[in-house]
């Protein structure tokens, strides 16, 4: 159909599969881009009849093209919507790859007559944006781009990014209206919400600094220096890493909006003989050895400053998977979020 963009895609996507998984009627898909390319992601625009809202769902990284889009992190600016501007702040900063994706989605939406017909008939319909990983980055930024367009300036726009990387400067991430508009979710030690050029530069400096302390030992710098004896080369690399880290430290990007940090915690140990024994964990962290007992996903309110450092953890990539987030949400009590 004219509102569905198909493309030769490595991911074997299909509209029927999406419709079946989302539990919606095929006619409620307003617009879909089932193709992937550099600076172009897979997304769906649907009408949710239950909440009378238009939902934009953006897929995360799955293809090589998506990875290139992720890596295009040279800073670029974008204009803030008039309702979010102040005398001190009139534009934001983000990765150039993410900006180009947002520009393309907005262009597609503005050129979709079917969406405009729905918005004309649903005067009170809100716009809800969500996505995971790369989709989380786009759903963090897309509200700013939509609110700059006349069809959306007087509508309620909400975003629910899952596992988003840092996308905007702190001054924008903590604007009160932005905190009401965007609600981000991070699970455990997921590495992606901590991945930014600034944080990686900091990690690189920390690694080289520790290597520089290993004087008299054989060290591998892991930065194309090869295997070296002594520390003269390490000193030079440490100096270079420090300069690079300082240059990235001026205005690091942050996760936007209100942040909920979901953690799976042991709430009760088994009694009797099994206390203290270990087995494969039965909590959402599949495959991790942990004490036998009862686990629950508990939600905490966090600040963007909590994710300004890469944490090296055994499960940091596993905990980024959509399946890990899905299990966490299934285990999460709605009352926990409501109370926060």
């Amino acid at each position: 159909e004219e509102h569905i963009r198909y493309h030769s895609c490595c991911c074997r996507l299909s509209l029927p599969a999406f419709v079946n998984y989302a539990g919606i009627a095929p006619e409620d898909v307003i617009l879909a881009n089932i193709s992937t390319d550099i600076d172009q992601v897979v997304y769906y625009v649907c009408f949710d009849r239950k909440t009378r809202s238009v939902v934009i769902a953006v897929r995360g990284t799955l293809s090589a093209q998506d990875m290139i889009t992720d890596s295009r992190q040279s800073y670029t600016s974008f204009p803030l919507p008039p309702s979010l501007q102040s005398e001190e702040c009139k534009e934001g900063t983000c990765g150039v790859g993410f900006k180009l994706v947002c520009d393309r989605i907005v262009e597609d939406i503005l050129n979709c007559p079917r969406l405009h017909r729905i918005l004309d008939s649903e005067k009170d319909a809100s716009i809800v944006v969500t996505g995971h990983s790369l989709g989380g980055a786009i759903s963090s930024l897309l509200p700013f781009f939509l609110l700059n367009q006349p069809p959306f300036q007087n509508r309620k726009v909400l975003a629910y990014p899952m596992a988003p990387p840092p996308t905007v400067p702190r001054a924008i991430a903590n604007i009160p209206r932005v905190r009401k508009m965007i609600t981000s979710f991070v699970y455990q030690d997921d590495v992606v919400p901590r991945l930014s050029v600034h944080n990686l530069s900091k990690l690189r400096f920390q690694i080289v600094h520790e290597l520089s302390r290993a004087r008299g030992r054989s060290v591998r710098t892991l930065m194309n220096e090869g295997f070296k004896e002594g520390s003269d080369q390490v000193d030079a690399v440490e100096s270079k890493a420090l300069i690079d880290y300082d240059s990235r430290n001026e205005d690091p990007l942050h996760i936007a909006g209100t942040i909920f940090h979901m953690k799976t915690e042991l709430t009760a140990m088994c009694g009797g003989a099994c206390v203290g024994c270990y087995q494969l964990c039965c909590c959402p962290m599949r495959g991790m050895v942990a004490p036998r007992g009862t686990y629950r996903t508990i939600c905490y309110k966090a600040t963007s400053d909590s994710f300004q450092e890469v944490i090296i953890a055994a499960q940091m990539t596993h905990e980024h998977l959509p399946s890990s987030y899905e299990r966490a949400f299934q285990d999460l009590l709605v009352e926990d979020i409501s109370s926060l």
Side-chain angles (χ1 to χ4, degrees):
E1 299 181 22
E2 63 178 12
H3 62 285
I4 310 296
R5 181 188 293 130
Y6 290 97
H7 189 267
S8 56
C9 181
C10 66
C11 308
R12 300 184 182 276
L13 298 171
S14 75
L15 184 61
F18 170 78
V19 166
N20 179 64
Y21 187 80
I24 61 176
E27 59 269 22
D28 289 335
V29 179
I30 304 169
L31 174 67
N33 177 56
I34 314 179
S35 66
T36 182
D37 203 347
I38 298 173
D39 304 327
Q40 177 177 303
V41 299
V42 174
Y43 69 89
Y44 298 86
V45 182
C46 311
F47 184 65
D48 182 7
R49 297 184 182 275
K50 183 178 180 180
T51 60
R52 313 305 295 181
S53 60
V54 173
V55 179
I56 304 172
V58 188
R59 195 195 69 180
T61 302
L62 195 58
S63 67
Q65 293 93 329
D66 291 336
M67 295 179 187
I68 294 175
T69 301
D70 287 328
S71 66
R72 287 163 58 86
Q73 287 301 307
S74 298
Y75 286 177
T76 188
S77 60
F78 63 91
L80 285 178
S83 58
L84 296 177
Q85 290 184 11
S86 64
E87 292 185 3
E88 300 80 19
C89 188
K90 296 187 180 297
E91 63 179 24
T93 303
C94 67
V96 65
F98 298 158
K99 179 183 184 295
L100 292 174
V101 170
C102 291
D103 286 338
R104 185 171 297 215
I105 293 177
V106 170
E107 181 182 358
D108 290 347
I109 288 175
L110 293 177
N111 293 323
C112 180
R114 190 158 177 254
L115 174 59
H116 291 293
R117 289 196 297 270
I118 290 176
L119 292 177
D120 289 341
S121 62
E122 298 284 342
K123 300 296 184 182
D124 297 327
S126 57
I127 310 296
V128 178
V129 193
T130 189
H132 171 268
S133 189
L134 169 58
I138 303 306
S139 58
S140 295
L141 291 168
L142 200 56
F144 300 105
F145 289 73
L146 292 174
L147 289 173
N148 270 320
Q149 304 301 322
F152 307 103
Q153 286 177 346
N154 295 321
R155 290 190 181 270
K156 185 177 183 180
V157 178
L158 299 171
Y160 297 94
M162 314 291 169
T167 51
V168 295
R170 183 209 299 265
I172 296 175
N174 293 322
I175 294 175
R177 186 175 173 188
V178 171
R179 293 178 63 84
K180 292 181 180 179
M181 180 173 66
I182 302 175
T183 304
S184 300
F185 291 88
V186 177
Y187 179 57
Q188 294 273 112
D189 295 327
D190 180 358
V191 65
V192 169
R194 299 170 170 85
L195 279 186
S196 67
V197 175
H198 166 265
N199 290 354
L200 288 175
S201 297
K202 181 178 180 180
L203 176 64
R204 177 173 176 245
F205 168 70
Q206 290 171 330
I207 292 173
V208 176
H209 177 67
E210 291 304 315
L211 289 174
S212 72
R213 297 173 59 188
R215 297 184 181 276
R217 302 177 186 177
S218 299
V219 296
R220 185 185 298 271
T221 66
L222 303 179
M223 291 169 358
N224 298 324
E225 288 294 319
F227 190 77
K228 305 289 184 181
E229 294 289 340
S231 56
D232 291 343
Q233 292 83 3
V234 179
D235 289 340
V237 175
E238 180 183 19
S239 177
K240 180 180 177 182
L242 177 59
I243 294 172
D244 182 57
Y245 170 52
D246 286 341
S247 68
R248 304 290 186 181
N249 202 30
E250 295 177 359
D251 192 12
L253 299 182
H254 287 245
I255 299 175
T258 298
I259 305 171
F260 287 118
H261 193 184
M262 302 182 293
K263 298 183 180 182
T264 299
E265 298 181 351
L266 180 65
T267 58
M269 291 285 290
C270 289
C274 67
V275 172
C277 71
Y278 286 78
Q279 64 171 12
L280 286 181
C281 179
C282 58
C283 72
M285 295 184 297
R286 304 291 180 180
M288 185 176 178
V289 176
R292 187 193 301 267
T294 303
Y295 287 84
R296 254 200 62 201
T297 300
I298 299 175
C299 206
Y300 299 92
K301 216 167 188 178
T303 66
S304 61
D305 291 328
S306 304
F307 304 95
Q308 286 299 296
E309 187 170 49
V310 177
I311 295 178
I312 306 300
Q315 298 290 307
M316 65 184 190
T317 54
H318 176 80
E319 288 165 352
H320 178 65
L321 297 177
S323 56
S324 295
Y325 276 78
E326 186 172 28
R327 284 191 293 266
F329 276 113
Q330 289 172 345
D331 187 45
L332 194 64
L333 296 179
V334 176
E335 293 80 5
D336 290 347
I337 297 181
S338 300
S339 65
L340 294 174

